[in-house]
Amino acid sequence: MKTRPLPVPDPRRPLSDRQRLAWLRLIRSENVGPVTFREIVNHFGGAEEALDALPELSKRGGRGRAIRICSTADAEAEIAKAAKAGAEAVAIDEAGYPPLLAATEAPPPILYIKGKTALAGQTAIAIVGARDASAAGRKLTGTLAEALGRAGFVVASGLARGIDTAAHEASLATGTIAVVAGGIDIIYPPENEALTRRIEGQGLVIAENPPGFVPRGQDFPRRNRIISGLSMGVLVVEAAKRSGSHITARFALEQGREVFAVPGHPLDPRAAGTNHLLKQGATLVTEAADILEVIAPMLDRPVTIPKRLDPPAKPKPTEVATGERKIVLEALGPAPVGVDDIVRTTGLEVRAVKVILLELDLAGRLERHGGQRVSLVV
C-alpha cells in the first residue's frame, strides 16, 4: 500500500536565501531556543529585525556582557557543510518539514534533512524502545514495523541500538525516518553506519543540530521530542521506567499524540516502563491492528501549519517600565509557572509580560518549560 500523505491545506512557500540565513543566525545565537525564536520573530515580524534587537533586549534583561550573535559567515559555512554532506536546511513552513512537527508548541525553526524528502509529508508512527532489547522484543518490533509499512505508514525512530534499529530495518522498504541527536553527518552509534547509509538512500534522516555536532547526553531528549512530534502516535516496545523511550512517550502526551505500549513480564526491567505506561492509560498493543484501530479516525484531520508572519505595518513597542519588570520578577521563581498566570497575577498587559520574559530569556535568567511555562534561573 502507498504511504498516507498528511492533509496539509495551506500552501507552503520557501524562504529566500537571505531569510534562511537570518533564521539560522537567530536560532544559533546565544540563549535563543525554539520558543524564544518564535516569540521574538512574532514580536518584531522577522528574523532580521529580531537579530537587530537581541543586544538591547539582553542588556535590559540584566545581562552583564554582550550576547553572542551568530555571524552571517558562520551561518553560510554551516549551510555549505550540510550541502557537502548531501543535506539541505528546511524551515518550519517549507515543503520537506514534517507538518505534524511544525504544528507543535515549540518546533525547531530549521531542520537538516537528507534522503527522500517526500517522506516528511507522510503519516508516521514512531517505534522506540530499549537499546539492550531482547530477541523477542526485536522480533516483535520488526513484525509491527512491517505491518505498519504495509498499511501505508512511515515508521520513525531514533537510530539507536536495539528496538530503534529493528524498527528501521523492518521499514526500509516501505518508508522510515531516522531522527539523530547529532549533526546530519555524524553517525551514532558507529555500528549503525551501514544502516544509516541505507536510510539515506531509501528513507529520510533528520537532524536539528548543525553538521559536525557530536551528540551529548542532553541532546537525546531533545531528539526524542522531534520523533514524537512528527508522528501521529508513539509505540514503546521495551523500556525501563527511567529511559529515553519513556521520555519520548511523555513528549508524545504533551504534544497530544497517541501512546501505545507492548506489555512485558513484571520481572523484566525492560518492561517496567511499558507496563507503567499501560497503567497510565496507554493503548495496549500486541499486533499492528491495535494501533490502526486508534489511528484510523484521525487520518483525515487537516494539519494547519502556522503561517509565516510578514513584518508588521508598525513595529510593536518594546519599552516597558522598570516597575513592570520588578512586578514580573516578583511573580517568577524556581517553580515553573504559566505565562497566562503571570499576566493574571500581575495585571500587566500580555505584550509587556512577553517583552520582559524575552529580555530575561536572552539574558540567561529564564528557563522555558512545556505548556508555556517559565521559571527563573536562580
Side-chain angles (χ1 to χ4, degrees):
M1 182 180 289
K2 293 183 179 180
T3 51
R4 300 174 181 271
L6 285 166
V8 184
D10 295 331
R12 294 183 281 175
R13 49 196 174 90
L15 292 172
S16 67
D17 290 343
R18 178 172 174 172
Q19 286 175 316
R20 193 179 312 281
L21 280 176
W23 276 46
L24 189 57
R25 288 183 62 204
L26 182 58
I27 193 59
R28 297 289 185 249
S29 294
E30 192 174 8
N31 292 336
V32 178
V35 176
T36 307
F37 181 98
R38 180 195 62 207
E39 293 290 335
I40 197 169
V41 169
N42 283 351
H43 191 85
F44 289 97
E48 289 182 284
E49 294 83 356
L51 285 164
D52 291 338
L54 287 184
E56 180 60 25
L57 286 173
S58 63
K59 182 179 178 181
R60 295 205 312 243
R63 187 176 182 83
R65 61 177 176 82
I67 190 170
R68 180 191 58 78
I69 298 175
C70 177
S71 68
T72 300
D74 285 345
E76 289 174 336
E78 181 177 318
I79 290 177
K81 191 171 183 179
K84 187 176 180 180
E88 61 178 303
V90 294
I92 291 173
D93 55 353
E94 289 187 300
Y97 195 105
L100 283 176
L101 179 62
T104 59
E105 180 184 345
I110 286 182
L111 292 173
Y112 286 106
I113 60 174
K114 182 177 182 180
K116 293 186 175 180
T117 58
L119 291 176
Q122 307 301 317
T123 306
I125 302 294
I127 302 180
V128 297
R131 288 176 170 81
D132 60 339
S134 67
R138 290 176 61 96
K139 182 178 180 180
L140 178 60
T141 297
T143 300
L144 293 170
E146 287 178 358
L148 289 171
R150 290 195 302 270
F153 294 93
V154 170
V155 172
S157 198
L159 202 54
R161 302 178 184 92
I163 297 300
D164 290 22
T165 294
H168 289 307
E169 289 175 339
S171 58
L172 265 170
T174 52
T176 194
I177 296 175
V179 184
V180 297
I184 197 89
D185 55 344
I186 301 296
I187 294 177
Y188 186 88
E191 60 262 38
N192 270 352
E193 179 175 4
L195 176 59
T196 301
R197 299 307 181 201
R198 292 173 68 195
I199 296 174
E200 289 173 346
Q202 297 176 253
L204 180 66
V205 180
I206 293 176
E208 176 183 14
N209 284 313
F213 186 92
V214 178
R216 308 156 297 175
Q218 62 264 39
D219 298 310
F220 291 93
R222 291 176 58 83
R223 173 208 62 182
N224 294 347
R225 87 191 195 285
I226 297 176
I227 295 173
S228 59
L230 64 81
S231 306
M232 292 198 79
V234 173
L235 168 64
V236 184
V237 178
E238 289 181 336
K241 197 168 182 180
R242 305 181 75 137
S243 64
S245 300
H246 210 258
I247 291 172
T248 308
R250 191 188 75 227
F251 281 130
L253 289 172
E254 292 175 354
Q255 294 164 336
R257 306 296 186 250
E258 296 296 323
V259 176
F260 306 92
V262 173
H265 195 285
L267 295 181
D268 187 346
R270 289 170 297 201
T274 52
N275 290 343
H276 175 74
L277 289 172
L278 290 169
K279 290 178 182 178
Q280 298 299 311
T283 299
L284 188 148
V285 170
T286 59
E287 58 182 349
D290 298 323
I291 299 172
L292 300 177
E293 183 180 357
V294 174
I295 295 296
M298 309 176 189
L299 294 177
D300 294 327
R301 296 179 188 173
V303 180
T304 302
I305 307 300
K307 293 182 180 179
R308 188 181 309 153
L309 292 179
D310 294 320
K314 293 190 298 183
K316 295 181 182 179
T318 59
E319 291 293 339
V320 293
T322 303
E324 291 178 329
R325 290 192 181 89
K326 182 179 179 181
I327 292 171
V328 171
L329 279 169
E330 289 175 348
L332 290 168
V337 61
V339 175
D340 289 343
D341 293 328
I342 296 173
V343 173
R344 284 193 294 268
T345 301
T346 61
L348 299 176
E349 293 183 4
V350 174
R351 179 201 62 81
V353 170
K354 288 192 171 184
V355 169
I356 294 167
L357 294 179
L358 270 177
E359 294 173 353
L360 293 171
D361 201 354
L362 294 171
R365 301 174 63 191
L366 193 78
E367 184 174 356
R368 301 272 185 179
H369 305 271
Q372 297 189 353
R373 296 174 301 146
V374 295
S375 64
L376 200 61
V377 176
V378 293

